[in-house]
Amino acid sequence: MSLSLILSACVNSAVPVQANLVEVPGTVELNQAPPTDVPSAGGGTGTVFFHGNVYEFAIGGLGLDGSAVAIIRTTGEVYQLADIARFSGIYRKVPAGSVVPGQPSGGLWLQNERATILHLQTPPGGRMPVIGGDAVRVVLK
């Protein structure tokens, strides 16, 4: 089944970050497959590990820096995910100061319209794109 990723601007619908991010219900890996398996045109693939299951997803950039995030090779954590159906969506940068003190720092914090949060680690030897107003779209396969 082929998934198309929307590469156009979308409306920002910020959801407040909850004060309790202690539980990490899932982890993610982005673009860990060999380079020949990664789609072109600013998109990538990933896996989310949630409650003992592995789910594949496609990730595409919305804007130049969003596209840069979609193709990096990294790992991260997922917060505020009660149901895997809430993982898909448009992820935007979490505003500075919104992340709870004591949580891992660095990397890139993103949140979708369902309040699911991704914390992507800065790639080894690399840097994280400054996403600004851009976003990424995640679609479960």
Side-chain angles (χ1 to χ4, degrees):
M1 174 195 257
S2 172
L3 295 175
S4 65
L5 298 175
I6 298 173
L7 299 175
S8 62
C10 62
V11 178
N12 182 6
S13 56
V15 177
V17 176
Q18 294 179 3
N20 183 6
L21 294 181
V22 176
E23 181 186 353
V24 180
T27 59
V28 295
E29 292 182 350
L30 290 181
N31 302 308
Q32 299 295 318
T36 56
D37 292 345
V38 178
S40 60
T45 60
T47 51
V48 58
F49 303 91
F50 178 69
H51 291 302
N53 295 308
V54 178
Y55 301 89
E56 294 183 359
F57 63 90
I59 184 169
L62 300 171
L64 183 61
D65 289 321
S67 294
V69 170
I71 62 171
I72 61 173
R73 188 175 201 169
T74 191
T75 60
E77 303 86 32
V78 182
Y79 296 91
Q80 296 181 191
L81 183 62
D83 180 348
I84 193 63
R86 299 175 65 89
F87 183 71
S88 292
I90 305 296
Y91 285 82
R92 296 188 178 281
K93 184 177 178 183
V94 175
S98 296
V99 180
V100 176
Q103 294 302 313
S105 60
L108 181 61
W109 290 84
L110 301 167
Q111 183 177 32
N112 74 10
E113 65 277 8
R114 295 178 183 93
T116 301
I117 294 175
L118 289 179
H119 176 223
L120 300 177
Q121 302 295 323
T122 302
R127 67 172 191 83
M128 190 60 72
V130 179
I131 195 166
D134 291 349
V136 293
R137 179 168 187 194
V138 172
V139 179
L140 286 170
K141 292 184 177 183

